[in-house]
Amino acid sequence: MIELKHLKTLQALRHAGTLAAAAASLHMTQSALSHQLNEVEQRLGYRLFIRKSQPLRFTTQGEILLNLANQVIPLVQQALQSCSAPTKGSLKLAIECHSCIQWLTPALNAFRQHWPSVELDFKNGVIFDPQPALQLGELDIVMTSDIQPSSHLHYSSLFDFEVRLAVAPEHPLAQADVIRPQDLAQETMLIYPVQRQRLDVWKHFLQPAGIQPTLKSVDNTLLLIQMVAARMGVAALPHWVVESAERQGLIVTKPLGDGLWRRLYAAVRDGEQRQLAVSAFIDAARAHSATLPFVKAA
């Protein structure tokens, strides 16, 4: 069976006129190109060109396949360009990190400036598990900190962020250098209304230590911070989310253990990460993250 690379080789031979020149245009050695041609001729059972002819001459079979190459290769190139074109008229997005919504809005605005024709549809990932919806085609991009193995999804790194414990300035834990899991055993943890396994502080800090504090759901970041300031509970939040409230003296943040760092990814269906609109959105999100305090480039 003849392959696309063989058709490209025939085109190179016609344009270059010699085996040596064709090899150079294909960035191959002359011996490697000669070996490739010998192999395909043995596979087909006939010669494709006359050796040592000046200028190089094709056999009848070679001319037939060269004609095929001239028809097929432009079609392949056109199809590949279509695959990379911004065919999506809309992008359906979701974010698993509830507190990251305020980061996402400026990134969406930056994307719209360059892609005004692409409609953006945002769904709140707090009320459902968005990665299965992504696999089913109901979403196009999901911002997440959790990689699901063997999910046929591609994860593009955006940035790293630290999850810290937010407490009121008068809270006893405000004097601690670091927070240990057992320090939270008798505390009320203010959390977003999601399953515990989707909370970084639960999955990576409390659960491994077997600590189960009282959990209280709060569905608004601003309200959550105000409740922490009023000593109605403590909360684990990305440092960059609460840095403004901390500068105002409303709260104090402390590291969890040796530091609970997480990475935010943009998940898409595998193979779609190169679509222009998708790639442009990921680039816009990554660029905007560079303006955030207390984050690291992934």
Side-chain angles (χ1 to χ4, degrees), residues 42-56:
Q42 291 178 8
R43 189 185 305 176
L44 294 172
Y46 43 76
R47 293 288 185 182
L48 297 176
F49 66 99
I50 308 301
R51 263 64 172 174
K52 298 182 179 180
S53 56
Q54 293 293 335
L56 187 146

